[in-house]
Amino acid sequence: MRSSAAGGAIVTLPPRCAACNVRDDALCATLEDAGLVALHGIGRRRTMPAGQVLVWSGDPNAICATVVSGVLKAMRAGPEGREHIVGLAFAGDFVETIRVMTDAELCVYPRAALQNMLDAHPAMERLLLRRALGALDDARMWMLMLGRKAAGARTATFLLEMARRMGQPDPVRFDLPMSRSEVGALLGMTIETVSRQMTSLKRRGVVALPGGRGVIILDRALLARAAAG
Amino acid sequence: MRSSAAGGAIVTLPPRCAACNVRDDALCATLEDAGLVALHGIGRRRTMPAGQVLVWSGDPNAICATVVSGVLKAMRAGPEGREHIVGLAFAGDFVETIRVMTDAELCVYPRAALQNMLDAHPAMERLLLRRALGALDDARMWMLMLGRKAAGARTATFLLEMARRMGQPDPVRFDLPMSRSEVGALLGMTIETVSRQMTSLKRRGVVALPGGRGVIILDRALLARAAAG
DNA sequence: CGCGTGTTTGAACAGTGTCAATTTTCGTGG
DNA sequence: CCACGAAAATTGACACTGTTCAAACACGCG
């Protein structure tokens, strides 16, 4: 489309790229010909057999790749080694409804103005990317939990996570920022099941539940073990 | 920390920012003082009561915001209006195991070299960001499914999604790129349940299942209705 | 003090998981 | 091309977890 259109192009498009079927979908789509040549120079095309592991969890020398054909899977190891697929990659929106849960203060920026800021500050955009990847990581951890863990383990995991994020001064005592109904919506369970699991943890002496929202972790080790279940 | 350290600073840090408790965590962390002043100029701090809706799904004039205090929730509307929480935001990794599912070709780049490319081509980094946000969106859709949908609806959703992504030439007939066991790992169900749901769809005339991996969608409307479950 | 919302508790039921046996599919060698 | 064996998929019976429906309870507010 845009290769040596006006006739006088100096660069020669690598043949592999010129014929590539994901040329306009992949990262390469953002590059002009010269950039594409540069990118081609640092990369190699490899064919891999089914079943091969491309990246190991925690590998610091992780590689990045564009899928030209075939299907790849992203996995997570569950509690006892059982693997769970958390995403698929093939060759080739960001729309939610946000509602304030507790009273909150916000710094609000118009989208267009923020875009200008991003243009002027590449580091900002990079952080935004890191954040998005972090959120993706969270989402996949959640998927793993929803797909594999039972109600008790979900509840325990939830309490630990809330203790980590809500228990700022005191990591043992905190108030949940939401109702049982909202906890249910988050964990994919009914209000009744949430309540039963909470009561069960209370009866076993793992936590105390003062008032409607309060949580006191009495035995963190037990709670962690319940979360692994 | 880094405000007018060396004495001769020209810019004045907005008092709100100087005292901000998420100053070093939020997007602002990437900005030097001048940039912070600029960002402060385009934004306003707002206090919102619990329960208020900040962004509506599909709103084109979506706003971006940094949470200074409080807790927000990201929601998705389920099939019959029931909402499901898919994420939380508080004041203030990217590690998976990737395995090749089918034979595949890849363009592999060393991480460091790719980083250089990103530095030289801002548009590339922007696309990377968009991709990450897209993946996040996918992950949250999946969370919704895992949290709310029953086995039959999950299976139907999965088949529709695979038809969309695998049924390149023919949107009706395609081969699954994975075994029943892998489908189960993806949908958070056992092999047996996957098999039962598949058989059920076959018996009802919704799909045909030639061979071990083949899928033919006989009644897409029925399949879509099953996916809404 | 009573009312309403939200939470807890109980009992019956439906849906999945588990265990186990059978059938089908697919690759290999005859 | 057919036969064989291993791996995967299907099917059935049963236990168990979580949902549903319903009622009792606790707390905050007028």
Side-chain angles (χ1 to χ4, degrees):
Chain A
M1 315 267 115
R2 89 162 53 134
S3 58
S4 36
I10 309 147
V11 300
T12 313
L13 214 54
R16 195 146 269 168
C17 292
C20 182
N21 61 326
V22 294
R23 165 86 169 85
D24 297 317
D25 295 328
L27 266 186
C28 329
T30 59
L31 296 174
E32 76 294 1
D33 286 357
L36 191 61
V37 170
L39 184 63
H40 180 265
I42 65 170
R44 305 181 55 177
R45 182 172 293 206
R46 294 172 54 184
T47 300
M48 313 193 76
Q52 181 160 347
V53 172
L54 192 63
V55 182
W56 252 281
S57 182
D59 183 356
N61 286 47
I63 57 174
C64 314
T66 296
V67 179
V68 179
S69 69
V71 183
L72 288 78
K73 61 179 173 181
M75 299 168 299
R76 284 280 175 111
E80 342 96 2
R82 285 169 75 178
E83 298 185 327
H84 194 248
I85 297 177
V86 293
L88 296 176
F90 295 79
D93 337 66
F94 198 60
V95 172
E96 327 273 346
T97 301
I98 308 282
R99 184 187 291 271
V100 182
M101 294 190 89
T102 68
D103 290 353
E105 292 176 277
L106 303 163
C107 284
V108 180
Y109 312 109
R111 200 189 196 91
L114 191 65
Q115 189 64 50
N116 291 339
M117 287 300 301
L118 290 181
D119 292 338
H121 299 274
M124 198 167 178
E125 181 154 28
R126 184 150 301 173
L127 179 57
L128 209 56
L129 176 60
R130 227 195 307 277
R131 286 293 165 87
L133 295 180
L136 184 57
D137 199 57
D138 287 348
R140 289 179 169 175
M141 193 172 71
W142 225 259
M143 281 174 60
L144 189 65
M145 198 176 80
L146 293 173
R148 281 253 165 281
K149 288 188 179 177
R154 289 186 203 181
T155 309
T157 305
F158 167 74
L159 288 178
L160 282 174
E161 187 67 12
M162 292 313 283
R164 193 172 67 80
R165 307 203 67 173
M166 294 293 299
Q168 282 307 357
D170 182 356
V172 167
R173 199 217 180 285
F174 60 94
D175 286 309
L176 294 176
M178 62 186 98
S179 69
R180 293 287 185 274
S181 163
E182 288 172 310
V183 175
L186 182 61
L187 301 183
M189 320 183 327
T190 58
I191 309 176
E192 294 93 328
T193 301
V194 173
S195 181
R196 274 186 255 270
Q197 297 302 331
M198 292 285 216
T199 305
S200 169
L201 288 172
K202 185 174 68 179
R203 250 200 309 265
R204 287 186 279 160
V206 181
V207 299
L209 302 172
R213 298 279 174 99
V215 176
I216 301 175
I217 297 179
L218 299 174
D219 189 334
R220 179 172 290 264
L222 256 182
L223 187 57
R225 230 159 44 79
Chain B
M1 317 274 109
R2 77 154 68 125
S3 57
S4 36
I10 309 147
V11 299
T12 312
L13 213 56
R16 196 147 268 166
C17 292
C20 184
N21 62 324
V22 294
R23 166 86 170 84
D24 297 317
D25 295 328
L27 267 185
C28 329
T30 59
L31 296 174
E32 77 294 2
D33 285 357
L36 192 60
V37 171
L39 184 62
H40 180 265
I42 65 169
R44 304 180 55 177
R45 183 172 292 206
R46 293 172 55 184
T47 300
M48 314 194 74
Q52 180 160 348
V53 172
L54 192 62
V55 182
W56 252 280
S57 183
D59 184 355
N61 285 48
I63 58 173
C64 314
T66 296
V67 179
V68 179
S69 69
V71 183
L72 289 77
K73 62 180 174 181
M75 300 167 297
R76 284 278 175 112
E80 342 97 3
R82 283 170 75 179
E83 298 184 328
H84 194 248
I85 297 177
V86 294
L88 296 176
F90 295 78
D93 329 59
F94 198 57
V95 172
E96 327 272 346
T97 301
I98 308 281
R99 185 186 291 270
V100 182
M101 295 189 88
T102 69
D103 290 353
E105 291 176 279
L106 303 164
C107 284
V108 180
Y109 312 109
R111 199 189 197 90
L114 192 66
Q115 189 65 50
N116 291 339
M117 288 300 301
L118 290 181
D119 292 338
H121 298 275
M124 199 168 177
E125 181 154 28
R126 184 151 302 173
L127 180 56
L128 210 56
L129 176 59
R130 228 196 307 278
R131 286 294 166 87
L133 295 179
L136 185 57
D137 199 55
D138 286 350
R140 289 180 169 178
M141 193 170 69
W142 227 259
M143 282 175 59
L144 189 64
M145 199 175 79
L146 292 173
R148 279 256 163 280
K149 289 187 179 178
R154 289 187 202 180
T155 309
T157 305
F158 167 74
L159 289 178
L160 283 174
E161 188 67 13
M162 292 313 283
R164 191 171 69 80
R165 306 204 68 173
M166 294 294 299
Q168 282 306 357
D170 181 355
V172 166
R173 200 218 178 285
F174 61 94
D175 286 310
L176 294 176
M178 61 184 99
S179 68
R180 292 286 184 274
S181 163
E182 290 172 310
V183 176
L186 181 61
L187 301 183
M189 322 184 323
T190 60
I191 310 176
E192 294 92 329
T193 301
V194 173
S195 181
R196 275 186 257 271
Q197 298 302 331
M198 292 287 216
T199 305
S200 169
L201 288 172
K202 185 173 69 178
R203 250 201 308 266
R204 286 186 278 160
V206 181
V207 299
L209 302 171
R213 299 280 176 97
V215 175
I216 301 175
I217 298 179
L218 300 174
D219 190 334
R220 179 171 289 264
L222 255 182
L223 187 58
R225 229 160 43 79

